[in-house]
Amino acid sequence: MPRLLGVDIPNDKPTWVSLTYIYGVGPYTARELCFKAKVDPQRRAKDLNEEELARLASLLDKDYVVEGQLRRQVAQNIARLKDIGCYRGIRHRRGLPVRGQRTRTNARTRKGPRKTVAGKKGVKDLRH
């Protein structure tokens, strides 16, 4: 498995698909990288030689914010929102949806599993 920026990229996939395994590199950026580094995007990643890998790595390092640096940047942005106490920061702090989604239903990914609260007594129980 070739390694780029500390990430093992898959052997048996086309180079442009393998590059998307790097955090911060999507399909468009992967194809753009292959074009700039003069690497055939359809060639398998295992067929890349050291020189091509070095060209890809230097391009990624020089022109793009990826992996650890990007993760750090995102974390700093969220921390800044929390510190200034804006609406988005408060939503991050409380673990609720940040981008205006409804929370009455369908916010399970952010809120986690349901926490059941004891309900009211049923109407049948009040009759007896």
Side-chain angles (χ1 to χ4, degrees):
M1 272 189 168
R3 272 181 86 75
L4 276 173
L5 305 174
V7 178
D8 287 328
I9 60 174
N11 269 333
D12 299 323
K13 297 189 183 210
T15 303
W16 76 270
V17 175
S18 294
L19 287 172
T20 62
Y21 281 67
I22 298 169
Y23 184 78
V25 177
Y28 178 82
T29 309
R31 284 200 177 98
E32 198 176 57
L33 269 167
C34 289
F35 176 74
K36 284 182 182 175
K38 296 180 178 67
V39 175
D40 178 21
Q42 293 304 322
R43 239 170 72 209
R44 302 286 165 188
K46 64 183 171 194
D47 299 334
L48 295 175
N49 59 34
E50 289 301 316
E51 183 202 332
E52 290 168 327
L53 285 171
R55 275 195 310 233
L56 284 168
S58 70
L59 269 172
L60 276 166
D61 216 25
K62 186 175 59 167
D63 297 339
Y64 299 94
V65 179
V66 290
E67 272 310 310
Q69 195 179 355
L70 180 60
R71 289 179 202 273
R72 206 170 308 110
Q73 202 175 60
V74 170
Q76 285 173 344
N77 288 340
I78 292 171
R80 179 181 53 82
L81 291 172
K82 288 178 179 178
D83 289 344
I84 63 176
C86 67
Y87 181 80
R88 280 171 58 204
I90 292 167
R91 304 299 281 183
H92 273 294
R93 210 178 296 149
R94 291 184 182 169
L96 292 169
V98 177
R99 297 186 176 178
Q101 297 93 329
R102 59 170 28 235
T103 55
R104 185 170 180 173
T105 61
N106 301 339
R108 283 293 137 216
T109 303
R110 287 291 302 195
K111 290 168 92 174
R114 285 188 171 81
K115 302 169 209 74
T116 308
V117 179
K120 296 177 185 173
K121 293 266 194 266
V123 178
K124 290 180 182 176
D125 294 339
L126 295 175
R127 287 186 188 160
H128 295 112

